[in-house]
């Protein structure tokens, strides 16, 4: 990850960049810097922040510069990071770009030269998945295709580290080609009573495949629609239905589950929003 440290000497209001370096995980709880070690100053205030530079979970390793096709560089005077225009489509590499909060260590009031600097990261993008199930008692449903259209496929962002907390401003957003569906899945899938991930033909109750996309305001989300092409029982002629999503905002750092539920006389569109990571709660009744 790319890390910055702005240092303000004791008795001064002027700050300057003390650290501009990358830290790299070595499998431990702390991340050492790549280029050199940095010593704590005797006093003064250090302000830390950063962002994800390289995702080693991708093969080959994906960098932010390669993903955005532009060298990301902090404007050191304003402490702002400009995220250039980027199109996110079905075939776009899934680079989960993250940025940190701000951590300040005041050595004048708390001379801590030992403990590690904690940085908490947030997701720039939102994510979605599509699944379907057949709850009809009368009909067999075979899904031929599911398409998503109207997303914010193109946008920009500004990440502002100048204050006491990180803030993000997104651009207006647009769709790069409204005449073509943004995502199209062709599962050729006979639905059962479980939810099935239409992008990978797996039981979505066990595994869902997610795709990154730009966040959307509630107003922008009104343009999103799901088109389903399916056959009913032994009929050869496919049926096409288009359902508009609700006008709920698609927030950064959230996963949007789009569930298509076939019933006897209707198709229900159920959208649920989840945290990026879900942690199980264990309730102990033994006492």
């Amino acid at each position: 990850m790319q890390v910055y440290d702005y240092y303000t000497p004791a008795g001064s209001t002027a700050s300057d960049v003390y650290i501009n370096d990358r830290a790299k995980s070595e499998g431990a709880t702390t991340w050492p810097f790549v280029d050199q070690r940095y010593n704590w100053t005797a006093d003064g205030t250090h302000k830390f922040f950063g962002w994800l530079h390289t995702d080693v979970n991708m093969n080959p390793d994906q960098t932010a510069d390669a993903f955005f096709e532009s060298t990301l560089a902090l404007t050191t005077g304003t402490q702002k990071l400009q995220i250039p225009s980027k199109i996110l489509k079905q075939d776009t590499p899934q680079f989960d770009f993250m940025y940190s909060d701000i951590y300040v260590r005041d050595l004048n009031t708390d001379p801590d030269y030992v403990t590690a600097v904690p940085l908490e990261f947030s997701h720039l993008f939102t994510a979605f998945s599509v699944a379907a199930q057949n709850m009809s008692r009368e009909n067999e449903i075979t899904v031929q295709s599911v398409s998503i259209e109207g997303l914010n496929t193109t946008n920009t962002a500004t990440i502002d580290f100048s204050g006491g907390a990180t803030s993000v401003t997104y651009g207006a957003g647009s769709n790069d080609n409204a005449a073509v569906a943004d995502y199209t899945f062709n599962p050729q899938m006979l639905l059962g009573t479980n939810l099935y991930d239409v992008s990978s033909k797996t039981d979505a109750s066990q595994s869902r495949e997610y795709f990154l996309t730009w966040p959307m305001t509630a107003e922008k989300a009104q343009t999103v629609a799901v088109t389903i092409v399916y056959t009913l029982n032994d009929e050869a002629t496919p049926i096409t239905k288009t359902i508009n999503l609700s006008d709920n905002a698609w927030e950064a750092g959230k996963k949007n589950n789009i569930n298509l539920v076939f019933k006897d006389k209707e198709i229900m569109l159920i959208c649920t929003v989840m945290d990026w990571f879900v942690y199980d709660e264990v309730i102990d009744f033994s006492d």
Side-chain angles (χ1 to χ4, degrees), residues 70-107:
S70 177
T71 301
L72 294 190
L74 183 78
T75 303
T76 54
T78 62
Q79 299 181 26
K80 292 182 179 180
L81 178 66
Q82 300 292 335
I83 302 297
S85 178
K86 176 65 180 180
I87 298 176
L88 295 179
K89 298 293 287 287
Q90 190 165 354
D91 57 352
T92 304
Q94 298 289 286
F95 182 76
D96 181 17
F97 183 77
M98 295 186 291
Y99 59 91
S100 80
D101 60 355
I102 292 170
Y103 175 80
V104 176
R105 181 165 296 178
D106 190 339
L107 299 177

Side-chain angles (χ1 to χ4, degrees), residues 7 27 68 86 95-96 100 117 124 153 204 232 238 256 264:
Y7 171 59
F68 289 110
K86 176 65 180 180
F95 182 76
D96 181 17
S100 80
V117 172
L124 181 70
T153 53
L232 197 64
N256 303 275
D264 287 337

Side-chain angles (χ1 to χ4, degrees), residues 205-232:
S205 64
Q206 301 297 322
S207 174
R208 300 181 75 119
E209 185 172 0
Y210 286 91
F211 297 87
L212 298 173
T213 189
W214 286 100
M216 291 181 291
T217 63
E219 181 181 6
K220 279 284 187 179
Q222 295 180 29
T223 65
V224 181
V226 182
T227 299
I228 318 144
V229 180
Y230 64 97
T231 55
L232 197 64

Side-chain angles (χ1 to χ4, degrees), residues 221-281:
Q222 295 180 29
T223 65
V224 181
V226 182
T227 299
I228 318 144
V229 180
Y230 64 97
T231 55
L232 197 64
N233 301 320
D234 296 328
E235 297 177 8
T237 304
I239 303 168
T240 300
K241 297 289 185 184
T242 298
I243 306 174
N244 292 321
L245 266 65
S246 60
D247 56 350
N248 292 322
W250 288 34
E251 299 179 14
K254 299 289 185 179
K255 289 184 173 181
N256 303 275
N257 293 339
I258 301 172
N259 299 322
L260 302 165
V261 181
F262 289 80
K263 304 189 85 172
D264 287 337
K265 298 184 182 297
E266 63 180 344
I267 303 173
M268 298 179 64
L269 179 65
I270 302 173
C271 299
T272 59
V273 181
M274 299 175 59
D275 291 331
W276 206 275
F277 294 102
V278 178
Y279 299 98
D280 293 332
E281 294 286 349

